[in-house]
C-alpha cells in the first residue's frame, strides 16, 4: 500500500548559463571569441578563427583576504601572461571566478587591440553578464 504522505516534489530550475560568440577583426587576423557565463563564473575562449585549439588556460577568483584576485595558470606557458592578466581584471570587475583561454600568437600592439575589441563587445552586450 502506498503511503499518501510521501509525495515527491519535482521543481524545474531555470538554466543560468548564457552563451555569446563573436568574431573580432584585428589587422589581418580574425579572432574568434566564445563566452560562457555561468551562475558564479565566466569562461572566455579567444583563438584564431581558423583554428579551434586550447593550449592556454588561466583562472582568477576574488579572495576576501587579498585586495587583488588570486590567479593561476592551469595550462600553457607561464611566459604568456595575457590570459592570467585578463582573467584577473575580469574577476575584479565582475566579482566572480573567471577562466580565460587565450590561443593566439600576437605581438603587444595586437594584444591591446584585441583587449579593446573584447571591452567593446562586453560594453555593447551587457546581457552577457
Amino acid at each position: 500500500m502506498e503511503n499518501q504522505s510521501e509525495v515527491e516534489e519535482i521543481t524545474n530550475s531555470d538554466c543560468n548559463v548564457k552563451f555569446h560568440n563573436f568574431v573580432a577583426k584585428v589587422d589581418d587576423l580574425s579572432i574568434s571569441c566564445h563566452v560562457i557565463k555561468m551562475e558564479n563564473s565566466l569562461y572566455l575562449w579567444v583563438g584564431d578563427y581558423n583554428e579551434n585549439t586550447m593550449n592556454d588556460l588561466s583562472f582568477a577568483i576574488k579572495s576576501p583576504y587579498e585586495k587583488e584576485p588570486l590567479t593561476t595558470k592551469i595550462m600553457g606557458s607561464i611566459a604568456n601572461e595575457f590570459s592570467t592578466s585578463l582573467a584577473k581584471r575580469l574577476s575584479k570587475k565582475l566579482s566572480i571566478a573567471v577562466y580565460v583561454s587565450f590561443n593566439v600568437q600576437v605581438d603587444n600592439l595586437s594584444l591591446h587591440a584585441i583587449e579593446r575589441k573584447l571591452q567593446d563587445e562586453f560594453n555593447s552586450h551587457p546581457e552577457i553578464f
Side-chain angles (χ1 to χ4, degrees):
M1 184 172 189
E2 207 172 293
N3 187 346
Q4 292 291 332
S5 64
E6 292 181 22
V7 177
E8 187 175 323
E9 187 175 321
I10 299 173
T11 59
N12 291 332
S13 61
D14 292 332
C15 179
N16 291 330
V17 178
K18 298 176 185 175
F19 299 90
H20 182 74
N21 302 316
F22 62 97
V23 175
K25 191 83 167 152
V26 177
D27 298 326
D28 293 336
L29 188 62
S30 291
I31 304 295
S32 182
C33 303
H34 304 281
V35 180
I36 302 173
K37 171 64 174 82
M38 296 160 277
E39 190 171 336
N40 293 313
S41 63
L42 177 89
Y43 173 79
L44 170 64
W45 182 91
V46 178
D48 189 319
Y49 183 75
N50 298 316
E51 208 174 303
N52 291 324
T53 61
M54 188 169 124
N55 299 318
D56 175 78
L57 183 62
S58 291
F59 175 73
I61 189 166
K62 285 190 75 170
S63 166
Y65 309 107
E66 300 290 331
K67 184 178 177 180
E68 294 293 317
L70 303 172
T71 62
T72 190
K73 179 73 106 170
I74 297 172
M75 63 188 261
S77 170
I78 58 172
N80 178 358
E81 296 180 2
F82 187 73
S83 62
T84 307
S85 176
L86 183 58
K88 184 179 198 175
R89 287 193 306 279
L90 286 171
S91 181
K92 187 173 185 176
K93 178 180 180 180
L94 302 171
S95 297
I96 59 174
V98 175
Y99 297 87
V100 174
S101 180
F102 192 82
N103 304 284
V104 183
Q105 298 298 322
V106 293
D107 59 22
N108 284 339
L109 289 175
S110 296
L111 282 176
H112 294 298
I114 291 169
E115 191 165 358
R116 278 194 305 275
K117 295 282 187 178
L118 290 170
Q119 189 63 46
D120 291 345
E121 188 72 18
F122 293 160
N123 289 339
S124 63
H125 295 280
E127 70 277 4
I128 299 170
F129 308 106

